[in-house]
PDB file of all heavy atoms in Angstrom:
ATOM      1  N   ILE A 819      -9.504  20.794  -8.336  1.00 98.00           N
ATOM      2  CA  ILE A 819      -9.856  21.069  -9.752  1.00 98.00           C
ATOM      3  C   ILE A 819      -8.651  21.477 -10.542  1.00 98.00           C
ATOM      4  O   ILE A 819      -7.895  22.318 -10.130  1.00 98.00           O
ATOM      5  CB  ILE A 819     -10.889  22.225  -9.852  1.00 98.00           C
ATOM      6  CG1 ILE A 819     -12.053  22.046  -8.872  1.00 98.00           C
ATOM      7  CG2 ILE A 819     -11.267  22.571 -11.230  1.00 98.00           C
ATOM      8  CD1 ILE A 819     -13.084  20.965  -9.453  1.00 98.00           C
ATOM      9  N   CYS A 820      -8.545  20.917 -11.761  1.00 98.00           N
ATOM     10  CA  CYS A 820      -7.522  21.394 -12.662  1.00 98.00           C
ATOM     11  C   CYS A 820      -8.307  22.198 -13.691  1.00 98.00           C
ATOM     12  O   CYS A 820      -9.169  21.649 -14.415  1.00 98.00           O
ATOM     13  CB  CYS A 820      -6.796  20.270 -13.378  1.00 98.00           C
ATOM     14  SG  CYS A 820      -5.725  20.739 -14.796  1.00 98.00           S
ATOM     15  N   LEU A 821      -8.041  23.516 -13.830  1.00 98.00           N
ATOM     16  CA  LEU A 821      -8.807  24.337 -14.916  1.00 98.00           C
ATOM     17  C   LEU A 821      -7.827  24.289 -16.121  1.00 98.00           C
ATOM     18  O   LEU A 821      -6.848  25.000 -16.177  1.00 98.00           O
ATOM     19  CB  LEU A 821      -8.876  25.750 -14.330  1.00 98.00           C
ATOM     20  CG  LEU A 821     -10.138  26.097 -13.569  1.00 98.00           C
ATOM     21  CD1 LEU A 821     -10.168  27.645 -13.330  1.00 98.00           C
ATOM     22  CD2 LEU A 821     -11.351  25.757 -14.435  1.00 98.00           C
ATOM     23  N   ASP A 822      -8.315  23.439 -17.001  1.00 98.00           N
ATOM     24  CA  ASP A 822      -7.435  23.271 -18.288  1.00 98.00           C
ATOM     25  C   ASP A 822      -7.931  24.115 -19.320  1.00 98.00           C
ATOM     26  O   ASP A 822      -8.597  23.826 -20.244  1.00 98.00           O
ATOM     27  CB  ASP A 822      -7.569  21.761 -18.529  1.00 98.00           C
ATOM     28  CG  ASP A 822      -6.716  21.419 -19.853  1.00 98.00           C
ATOM     29  OD1 ASP A 822      -5.727  22.136 -20.112  1.00 98.00           O
ATOM     30  OD2 ASP A 822      -7.018  20.445 -20.515  1.00 98.00           O
ATOM     31  N   VAL A 836      -5.379  34.765 -15.223  1.00 98.00           N
ATOM     32  CA  VAL A 836      -5.014  33.951 -13.997  1.00 98.00           C
ATOM     33  C   VAL A 836      -5.501  34.613 -12.801  1.00 98.00           C
ATOM     34  O   VAL A 836      -6.104  33.919 -11.931  1.00 98.00           O
ATOM     35  CB  VAL A 836      -3.420  33.801 -13.971  1.00 98.00           C
ATOM     36  CG1 VAL A 836      -3.023  33.175 -12.597  1.00 98.00           C
ATOM     37  CG2 VAL A 836      -3.028  32.865 -15.106  1.00 98.00           C
ATOM     38  N   LEU A 839      -9.131  33.870 -12.252  1.00 98.00           N
ATOM     39  CA  LEU A 839      -9.372  32.474 -12.034  1.00 98.00           C
ATOM     40  C   LEU A 839      -9.097  32.055 -10.562  1.00 98.00           C
ATOM     41  O   LEU A 839      -9.548  31.054  -9.983  1.00 98.00           O
ATOM     42  CB  LEU A 839      -8.641  31.458 -12.993  1.00 98.00           C
ATOM     43  CG  LEU A 839      -9.119  31.662 -14.448  1.00 98.00           C
ATOM     44  CD1 LEU A 839      -8.097  30.907 -15.306  1.00 98.00           C
ATOM     45  CD2 LEU A 839     -10.486  31.238 -14.624  1.00 98.00           C
ATOM     46  N   VAL A 840      -8.031  32.714  -9.865  1.00 98.00           N
ATOM     47  CA  VAL A 840      -7.511  32.305  -8.638  1.00 98.00           C
ATOM     48  C   VAL A 840      -8.763  32.263  -7.620  1.00 98.00           C
ATOM     49  O   VAL A 840      -8.776  31.342  -6.796  1.00 98.00           O
ATOM     50  CB  VAL A 840      -6.354  33.244  -8.165  1.00 98.00           C
ATOM     51  CG1 VAL A 840      -6.162  33.155  -6.641  1.00 98.00           C
ATOM     52  CG2 VAL A 840      -5.182  32.870  -8.894  1.00 98.00           C
ATOM     53  N   GLN A 843     -10.172  28.966  -6.896  1.00 98.00           N
ATOM     54  CA  GLN A 843      -9.461  28.144  -6.060  1.00 98.00           C
ATOM     55  C   GLN A 843      -9.039  26.805  -6.849  1.00 98.00           C
ATOM     56  O   GLN A 843      -9.149  25.647  -6.230  1.00 98.00           O
ATOM     57  CB  GLN A 843     -10.149  27.758  -4.752  1.00 98.00           C
ATOM     58  CG  GLN A 843     -10.299  29.008  -3.888  1.00 98.00           C
ATOM     59  CD  GLN A 843     -10.729  28.609  -2.444  1.00 98.00           C
ATOM     60  OE1 GLN A 843     -10.130  27.805  -1.845  1.00 98.00           O
ATOM     61  NE2 GLN A 843     -11.701  29.347  -2.054  1.00 98.00           N
ATOM     62  N   PRO A 844      -8.638  26.900  -8.074  1.00 98.00           N
ATOM     63  CA  PRO A 844      -8.265  25.635  -8.786  1.00 98.00           C
ATOM     64  C   PRO A 844      -6.858  25.260  -8.120  1.00 98.00           C
ATOM     65  O   PRO A 844      -6.040  26.107  -7.789  1.00 98.00           O
ATOM     66  CB  PRO A 844      -8.062  26.121 -10.169  1.00 98.00           C
ATOM     67  CG  PRO A 844      -7.762  27.620 -10.100  1.00 98.00           C
ATOM     68  CD  PRO A 844      -8.469  28.107  -8.855  1.00 98.00           C
ATOM     69  N   ALA A 845      -6.702  23.907  -8.121  1.00 98.00           N
ATOM     70  CA  ALA A 845      -5.353  23.380  -7.693  1.00 98.00           C
ATOM     71  C   ALA A 845      -4.310  23.661  -8.830  1.00 98.00           C
ATOM     72  O   ALA A 845      -3.133  23.810  -8.592  1.00 98.00           O
ATOM     73  CB  ALA A 845      -5.404  21.969  -7.294  1.00 98.00           C
ATOM     74  N   LEU A 846      -4.794  23.586 -10.056  1.00 98.00           N
ATOM     75  CA  LEU A 846      -3.857  23.584 -11.237  1.00 98.00           C
ATOM     76  C   LEU A 846      -4.609  24.423 -12.326  1.00 98.00           C
ATOM     77  O   LEU A 846      -5.754  24.384 -12.485  1.00 98.00           O
ATOM     78  CB  LEU A 846      -3.678  22.241 -11.761  1.00 98.00           C
ATOM     79  CG  LEU A 846      -3.030  21.144 -10.942  1.00 98.00           C
ATOM     80  CD1 LEU A 846      -3.330  19.805 -11.441  1.00 98.00           C
ATOM     81  CD2 LEU A 846      -1.478  21.384 -10.800  1.00 98.00           C
ATOM     82  N   ILE A 847      -3.780  25.163 -13.015  1.00 98.00           N
ATOM     83  CA  ILE A 847      -4.197  25.948 -14.173  1.00 98.00           C
ATOM     84  C   ILE A 847      -3.229  25.734 -15.345  1.00 98.00           C
ATOM     85  O   ILE A 847      -2.025  25.703 -15.106  1.00 98.00           O
ATOM     86  CB  ILE A 847      -4.229  27.513 -13.980  1.00 98.00           C
ATOM     87  CG1 ILE A 847      -5.233  27.876 -12.748  1.00 98.00           C
ATOM     88  CG2 ILE A 847      -4.591  28.293 -15.238  1.00 98.00           C
ATOM     89  CD1 ILE A 847      -5.206  29.336 -12.412  1.00 98.00           C
ATOM     90  N   THR A 848      -3.670  25.437 -16.588  1.00 98.00           N
ATOM     91  CA  THR A 848      -2.839  25.240 -17.671  1.00 98.00           C
ATOM     92  C   THR A 848      -2.660  26.561 -18.580  1.00 98.00           C
ATOM     93  O   THR A 848      -3.610  27.225 -18.770  1.00 98.00           O
ATOM     94  CB  THR A 848      -3.306  24.076 -18.582  1.00 98.00           C
ATOM     95  OG1 THR A 848      -4.530  24.332 -19.087  1.00 98.00           O
ATOM     96  CG2 THR A 848      -3.357  22.747 -17.792  1.00 98.00           C
ATOM     97  N   VAL A 849      -1.485  26.680 -19.073  1.00 98.00           N
ATOM     98  CA  VAL A 849      -1.169  27.857 -20.011  1.00 98.00           C
ATOM     99  C   VAL A 849      -0.311  27.273 -21.138  1.00 98.00           C
ATOM    100  O   VAL A 849       0.326  26.133 -20.929  1.00 98.00           O
ATOM    101  CB  VAL A 849      -0.366  28.966 -19.361  1.00 98.00           C
ATOM    102  CG1 VAL A 849      -1.151  29.550 -18.142  1.00 98.00           C
ATOM    103  CG2 VAL A 849       1.023  28.537 -18.913  1.00 98.00           C
ATOM    104  N   ALA A 861       2.283  34.889 -15.950  1.00 98.00           N
ATOM    105  CA  ALA A 861       1.283  34.057 -15.365  1.00 98.00           C
ATOM    106  C   ALA A 861       1.678  33.511 -13.980  1.00 98.00           C
ATOM    107  O   ALA A 861       0.768  33.563 -13.025  1.00 98.00           O
ATOM    108  CB  ALA A 861       1.037  32.789 -16.265  1.00 98.00           C
ATOM    109  N   ALA A 862       2.886  33.198 -13.870  1.00 98.00           N
ATOM    110  CA  ALA A 862       3.335  32.676 -12.518  1.00 98.00           C
ATOM    111  C   ALA A 862       3.333  33.830 -11.544  1.00 98.00           C
ATOM    112  O   ALA A 862       2.800  33.571 -10.358  1.00 98.00           O
ATOM    113  CB  ALA A 862       4.798  32.165 -12.747  1.00 98.00           C
ATOM    114  N   ALA A 865      -0.379  34.511 -10.414  1.00 98.00           N
ATOM    115  CA  ALA A 865      -0.837  33.413  -9.527  1.00 98.00           C
ATOM    116  C   ALA A 865      -0.482  33.706  -8.128  1.00 98.00           C
ATOM    117  O   ALA A 865      -1.270  33.601  -7.087  1.00 98.00           O
ATOM    118  CB  ALA A 865      -0.417  31.999  -9.942  1.00 98.00           C
ATOM    119  N   LYS A 866       0.788  34.016  -7.946  1.00 98.00           N
ATOM    120  CA  LYS A 866       1.369  34.332  -6.618  1.00 98.00           C
ATOM    121  C   LYS A 866       0.568  35.507  -6.015  1.00 98.00           C
ATOM    122  O   LYS A 866       0.118  35.490  -4.878  1.00 98.00           O
ATOM    123  CB  LYS A 866       2.807  34.655  -6.738  1.00 98.00           C
ATOM    124  CG  LYS A 866       3.702  33.535  -6.216  1.00 98.00           C
ATOM    125  CD  LYS A 866       5.088  33.940  -6.153  1.00 98.00           C
ATOM    126  CE  LYS A 866       5.910  32.709  -6.520  1.00 98.00           C
ATOM    127  NZ  LYS A 866       7.160  32.993  -7.334  1.00 98.00           N
ATOM    128  N   ALA A 869      -3.144  34.918  -5.192  1.00 98.00           N
ATOM    129  CA  ALA A 869      -3.231  34.070  -4.064  1.00 98.00           C
ATOM    130  C   ALA A 869      -3.016  34.801  -2.914  1.00 98.00           C
ATOM    131  O   ALA A 869      -3.786  34.684  -1.823  1.00 98.00           O
ATOM    132  CB  ALA A 869      -2.402  32.821  -4.255  1.00 98.00           C
ATOM    133  N   LEU A 874      -5.467  32.911  -0.398  1.00 97.00           N
ATOM    134  CA  LEU A 874      -5.835  31.615  -0.839  1.00 97.00           C
ATOM    135  C   LEU A 874      -4.605  30.790  -1.313  1.00 97.00           C
ATOM    136  O   LEU A 874      -3.557  31.463  -1.558  1.00 97.00           O
ATOM    137  CB  LEU A 874      -6.702  31.783  -2.143  1.00 97.00           C
ATOM    138  CG  LEU A 874      -8.127  32.338  -1.875  1.00 97.00           C
ATOM    139  CD1 LEU A 874      -8.819  32.546  -3.328  1.00 97.00           C
ATOM    140  CD2 LEU A 874      -8.926  31.331  -1.039  1.00 97.00           C
ATOM    141  N   PRO A 875      -4.750  29.560  -1.290  1.00 96.00           N
ATOM    142  CA  PRO A 875      -3.526  28.681  -1.790  1.00 96.00           C
ATOM    143  C   PRO A 875      -3.232  29.066  -3.198  1.00 96.00           C
ATOM    144  O   PRO A 875      -4.143  29.374  -4.010  1.00 96.00           O
ATOM    145  CB  PRO A 875      -4.042  27.297  -1.746  1.00 96.00           C
ATOM    146  CG  PRO A 875      -5.386  27.322  -1.090  1.00 96.00           C
ATOM    147  CD  PRO A 875      -5.917  28.634  -0.970  1.00 96.00           C
ATOM    148  N   ARG A 876      -1.904  29.093  -3.547  1.00 97.00           N
ATOM    149  CA  ARG A 876      -1.495  29.398  -4.993  1.00 97.00           C
ATOM    150  C   ARG A 876      -1.821  28.225  -5.839  1.00 97.00           C
ATOM    151  O   ARG A 876      -1.378  27.093  -5.559  1.00 97.00           O
ATOM    152  CB  ARG A 876      -0.064  29.764  -4.951  1.00 97.00           C
ATOM    153  CG  ARG A 876       0.487  30.015  -6.265  1.00 97.00           C
ATOM    154  CD  ARG A 876       1.964  30.341  -6.236  1.00 97.00           C
ATOM    155  NE  ARG A 876       2.870  29.263  -5.994  1.00 97.00           N
ATOM    156  CZ  ARG A 876       3.269  28.362  -6.893  1.00 97.00           C
ATOM    157  NH1 ARG A 876       2.795  28.522  -8.163  1.00 97.00           N
ATOM    158  NH2 ARG A 876       4.046  27.332  -6.596  1.00 97.00           N
ATOM    159  N   PRO A 877      -2.525  28.515  -6.924  1.00 98.00           N
ATOM    160  CA  PRO A 877      -2.731  27.368  -7.905  1.00 98.00           C
ATOM    161  C   PRO A 877      -1.406  26.929  -8.552  1.00 98.00           C
ATOM    162  O   PRO A 877      -0.445  27.874  -8.693  1.00 98.00           O
ATOM    163  CB  PRO A 877      -3.657  27.912  -8.910  1.00 98.00           C
ATOM    164  CG  PRO A 877      -3.654  29.363  -8.817  1.00 98.00           C
ATOM    165  CD  PRO A 877      -3.260  29.674  -7.410  1.00 98.00           C
ATOM    166  N   ARG A 878      -1.085  25.727  -8.857  1.00 98.00           N
ATOM    167  CA  ARG A 878       0.099  25.375  -9.576  1.00 98.00           C
ATOM    168  C   ARG A 878      -0.184  25.639 -11.106  1.00 98.00           C
ATOM    169  O   ARG A 878      -1.258  25.363 -11.549  1.00 98.00           O
ATOM    170  CB  ARG A 878       0.463  23.878  -9.296  1.00 98.00           C
ATOM    171  CG  ARG A 878       0.910  23.520  -7.875  1.00 98.00           C
ATOM    172  CD  ARG A 878       1.592  24.618  -7.177  1.00 98.00           C
ATOM    173  NE  ARG A 878       2.280  24.262  -5.988  1.00 98.00           N
ATOM    174  CZ  ARG A 878       2.183  25.050  -4.856  1.00 98.00           C
ATOM    175  NH1 ARG A 878       1.520  26.176  -4.847  1.00 98.00           N
ATOM    176  NH2 ARG A 878       2.857  24.682  -3.788  1.00 98.00           N
ATOM    177  N   LEU A 879       0.834  26.099 -11.738  1.00 98.00           N
ATOM    178  CA  LEU A 879       0.722  26.477 -13.194  1.00 98.00           C
ATOM    179  C   LEU A 879       1.480  25.326 -13.938  1.00 98.00           C
ATOM    180  O   LEU A 879       2.633  25.051 -13.700  1.00 98.00           O
ATOM    181  CB  LEU A 879       1.246  27.812 -13.488  1.00 98.00           C
ATOM    182  CG  LEU A 879       0.472  29.002 -12.966  1.00 98.00           C
ATOM    183  CD1 LEU A 879       1.036  30.282 -13.590  1.00 98.00           C
ATOM    184  CD2 LEU A 879      -0.952  28.916 -13.320  1.00 98.00           C
ATOM    185  N   LEU A 880       0.736  24.808 -14.964  1.00 98.00           N
ATOM    186  CA  LEU A 880       1.285  23.864 -15.815  1.00 98.00           C
ATOM    187  C   LEU A 880       1.394  24.294 -17.298  1.00 98.00           C
ATOM    188  O   LEU A 880       0.347  24.932 -17.871  1.00 98.00           O
ATOM    189  CB  LEU A 880       0.598  22.508 -15.756  1.00 98.00           C
ATOM    190  CG  LEU A 880       0.402  21.861 -14.447  1.00 98.00           C
ATOM    191  CD1 LEU A 880      -0.381  20.558 -14.625  1.00 98.00           C
ATOM    192  CD2 LEU A 880       1.787  21.531 -13.830  1.00 98.00           C
ATOM    193  N   GLY A 881       2.498  24.188 -17.935  1.00 98.00           N
ATOM    194  CA  GLY A 881       2.594  24.558 -19.367  1.00 98.00           C
ATOM    195  C   GLY A 881       2.334  23.472 -20.292  1.00 98.00           C
ATOM    196  O   GLY A 881       2.810  22.336 -20.093  1.00 98.00           O
ATOM    197  N   GLY A 917       9.442  29.948 -14.081  1.00 98.00           N
ATOM    198  CA  GLY A 917       8.730  29.845 -12.772  1.00 98.00           C
ATOM    199  C   GLY A 917       7.475  29.038 -12.724  1.00 98.00           C
ATOM    200  O   GLY A 917       6.748  29.182 -11.793  1.00 98.00           O
ATOM    201  N   LEU A 918       7.153  28.274 -13.763  1.00 98.00           N
ATOM    202  CA  LEU A 918       5.922  27.394 -13.741  1.00 98.00           C
ATOM    203  C   LEU A 918       6.332  26.194 -12.933  1.00 98.00           C
ATOM    204  O   LEU A 918       7.464  25.882 -12.580  1.00 98.00           O
ATOM    205  CB  LEU A 918       5.639  26.996 -15.215  1.00 98.00           C
ATOM    206  CG  LEU A 918       4.486  27.846 -15.726  1.00 98.00           C
ATOM    207  CD1 LEU A 918       4.921  29.351 -15.924  1.00 98.00           C
ATOM    208  CD2 LEU A 918       3.980  27.252 -17.101  1.00 98.00           C
ATOM    209  N   ASP A 919       5.238  25.523 -12.479  1.00 98.00           N
ATOM    210  CA  ASP A 919       5.485  24.367 -11.545  1.00 98.00           C
ATOM    211  C   ASP A 919       5.659  22.990 -12.373  1.00 98.00           C
ATOM    212  O   ASP A 919       6.038  21.972 -11.727  1.00 98.00           O
ATOM    213  CB  ASP A 919       4.158  24.216 -10.661  1.00 98.00           C
ATOM    214  CG  ASP A 919       4.035  25.484  -9.923  1.00 98.00           C
ATOM    215  OD1 ASP A 919       4.802  25.694  -8.910  1.00 98.00           O
ATOM    216  OD2 ASP A 919       3.214  26.367 -10.274  1.00 98.00           O
ATOM    217  N   GLY A 920       5.261  23.035 -13.644  1.00 98.00           N
ATOM    218  CA  GLY A 920       5.436  21.788 -14.376  1.00 98.00           C
ATOM    219  C   GLY A 920       4.894  21.954 -15.724  1.00 98.00           C
ATOM    220  O   GLY A 920       4.590  22.968 -16.218  1.00 98.00           O
ATOM    221  N   VAL A 921       4.737  20.746 -16.403  1.00 98.00           N
ATOM    222  CA  VAL A 921       4.178  20.765 -17.716  1.00 98.00           C
ATOM    223  C   VAL A 921       3.153  19.595 -17.942  1.00 98.00           C
ATOM    224  O   VAL A 921       3.144  18.638 -17.173  1.00 98.00           O
ATOM    225  CB  VAL A 921       5.329  20.512 -18.793  1.00 98.00           C
ATOM    226  CG1 VAL A 921       6.289  21.750 -18.862  1.00 98.00           C
ATOM    227  CG2 VAL A 921       6.084  19.173 -18.576  1.00 98.00           C
ATOM    228  N   VAL A 922       2.449  19.652 -19.030  1.00 97.00           N
ATOM    229  CA  VAL A 922       1.604  18.659 -19.566  1.00 97.00           C
ATOM    230  C   VAL A 922       2.410  17.940 -20.675  1.00 97.00           C
ATOM    231  O   VAL A 922       2.926  18.630 -21.568  1.00 97.00           O
ATOM    232  CB  VAL A 922       0.229  19.161 -20.140  1.00 97.00           C
ATOM    233  CG1 VAL A 922      -0.584  18.063 -20.609  1.00 97.00           C
ATOM    234  CG2 VAL A 922      -0.471  20.035 -19.177  1.00 97.00           C
ATOM    235  N   SER A 938      10.638  17.548  -8.231  1.00 95.00           N
ATOM    236  CA  SER A 938       9.589  18.539  -7.869  1.00 95.00           C
ATOM    237  C   SER A 938       8.853  19.191  -9.044  1.00 95.00           C
ATOM    238  O   SER A 938       7.907  19.872  -8.882  1.00 95.00           O
ATOM    239  CB  SER A 938      10.071  19.549  -6.977  1.00 95.00           C
ATOM    240  OG  SER A 938      11.118  20.321  -7.590  1.00 95.00           O
ATOM    241  N   PHE A 939       9.367  18.923 -10.285  1.00 97.00           N
ATOM    242  CA  PHE A 939       8.726  19.553 -11.498  1.00 97.00           C
ATOM    243  C   PHE A 939       7.539  18.649 -11.820  1.00 97.00           C
ATOM    244  O   PHE A 939       7.540  17.457 -11.974  1.00 97.00           O
ATOM    245  CB  PHE A 939       9.736  19.503 -12.640  1.00 97.00           C
ATOM    246  CG  PHE A 939       9.356  20.310 -13.868  1.00 97.00           C
ATOM    247  CD1 PHE A 939       9.124  21.688 -13.659  1.00 97.00           C
ATOM    248  CD2 PHE A 939       9.205  19.730 -15.043  1.00 97.00           C
ATOM    249  CE1 PHE A 939       8.808  22.506 -14.760  1.00 97.00           C
ATOM    250  CE2 PHE A 939       8.953  20.586 -16.134  1.00 97.00           C
ATOM    251  CZ  PHE A 939       8.716  21.988 -15.998  1.00 97.00           C
ATOM    252  N   LEU A 940       6.327  19.252 -11.817  1.00 98.00           N
ATOM    253  CA  LEU A 940       5.132  18.473 -11.917  1.00 98.00           C
ATOM    254  C   LEU A 940       4.836  17.969 -13.394  1.00 98.00           C
ATOM    255  O   LEU A 940       4.950  18.741 -14.376  1.00 98.00           O
ATOM    256  CB  LEU A 940       3.812  19.261 -11.556  1.00 98.00           C
ATOM    257  CG  LEU A 940       3.907  19.649  -9.995  1.00 98.00           C
ATOM    258  CD1 LEU A 940       2.742  20.655  -9.746  1.00 98.00           C
ATOM    259  CD2 LEU A 940       3.893  18.498  -9.070  1.00 98.00           C
ATOM    260  N   LEU A 941       4.513  16.753 -13.634  1.00 98.00           N
ATOM    261  CA  LEU A 941       4.148  16.195 -14.874  1.00 98.00           C
ATOM    262  C   LEU A 941       2.745  15.670 -14.999  1.00 98.00           C
ATOM    263  O   LEU A 941       2.395  14.722 -14.153  1.00 98.00           O
ATOM    264  CB  LEU A 941       5.137  15.036 -15.299  1.00 98.00           C
ATOM    265  CG  LEU A 941       6.613  15.415 -15.299  1.00 98.00           C
ATOM    266  CD1 LEU A 941       7.419  14.153 -15.586  1.00 98.00           C
ATOM    267  CD2 LEU A 941       7.002  16.481 -16.227  1.00 98.00           C
ATOM    268  N   MET A 942       1.899  16.285 -15.799  1.00 97.00           N
ATOM    269  CA  MET A 942       0.576  15.804 -15.928  1.00 97.00           C
ATOM    270  C   MET A 942       0.457  15.153 -17.299  1.00 97.00           C
ATOM    271  O   MET A 942       0.773  15.721 -18.401  1.00 97.00           O
ATOM    272  CB  MET A 942      -0.360  17.033 -15.875  1.00 97.00           C
ATOM    273  CG  MET A 942      -1.810  16.697 -16.079  1.00 97.00           C
ATOM    274  SD  MET A 942      -2.919  18.172 -15.608  1.00 97.00           S
ATOM    275  CE  MET A 942      -3.551  18.451 -17.259  1.00 97.00           C
ATOM    276  N   ASP A 971       3.070  12.711 -12.150  1.00 97.00           N
ATOM    277  CA  ASP A 971       2.402  13.150 -10.935  1.00 97.00           C
ATOM    278  C   ASP A 971       0.893  13.048 -11.099  1.00 97.00           C
ATOM    279  O   ASP A 971       0.240  12.625 -10.189  1.00 97.00           O
ATOM    280  CB  ASP A 971       2.773  14.623 -10.608  1.00 97.00           C
ATOM    281  CG  ASP A 971       4.218  14.772 -10.303  1.00 97.00           C
ATOM    282  OD1 ASP A 971       4.693  14.232  -9.329  1.00 97.00           O
ATOM    283  OD2 ASP A 971       4.935  15.271 -11.202  1.00 97.00           O
ATOM    284  N   TYR A 972       0.377  13.404 -12.281  1.00 98.00           N
ATOM    285  CA  TYR A 972      -1.064  13.477 -12.530  1.00 98.00           C
ATOM    286  C   TYR A 972      -1.432  12.601 -13.735  1.00 98.00           C
ATOM    287  O   TYR A 972      -0.697  12.740 -14.788  1.00 98.00           O
ATOM    288  CB  TYR A 972      -1.637  14.831 -12.663  1.00 98.00           C
ATOM    289  CG  TYR A 972      -1.388  15.758 -11.472  1.00 98.00           C
ATOM    290  CD1 TYR A 972      -0.354  16.787 -11.590  1.00 98.00           C
ATOM    291  CD2 TYR A 972      -1.990  15.677 -10.248  1.00 98.00           C
ATOM    292  CE1 TYR A 972      -0.147  17.589 -10.470  1.00 98.00           C
ATOM    293  CE2 TYR A 972      -1.795  16.400  -9.240  1.00 98.00           C
ATOM    294  CZ  TYR A 972      -0.874  17.455  -9.369  1.00 98.00           C
ATOM    295  OH  TYR A 972      -0.552  18.267  -8.264  1.00 98.00           O
TER     296      TYR A 972
END
Side-chain angles (χ1 to χ4, degrees):
I819 303 284
C820 170
L821 268 186
D822 184 22
V836 169
L839 295 172
V840 165
Q843 301 188 50
L846 299 161
I847 296 176
T848 60
V849 300
K866 254 188 219 142
L874 289 171
R876 177 179 73 82
R878 292 329 189 221
L879 291 189
L880 302 180
L918 262 64
D919 300 285
V921 292
V922 184
S938 61
F939 196 58
L940 300 173
L941 302 178
M942 177 168 115
D971 295 289
Y972 300 108

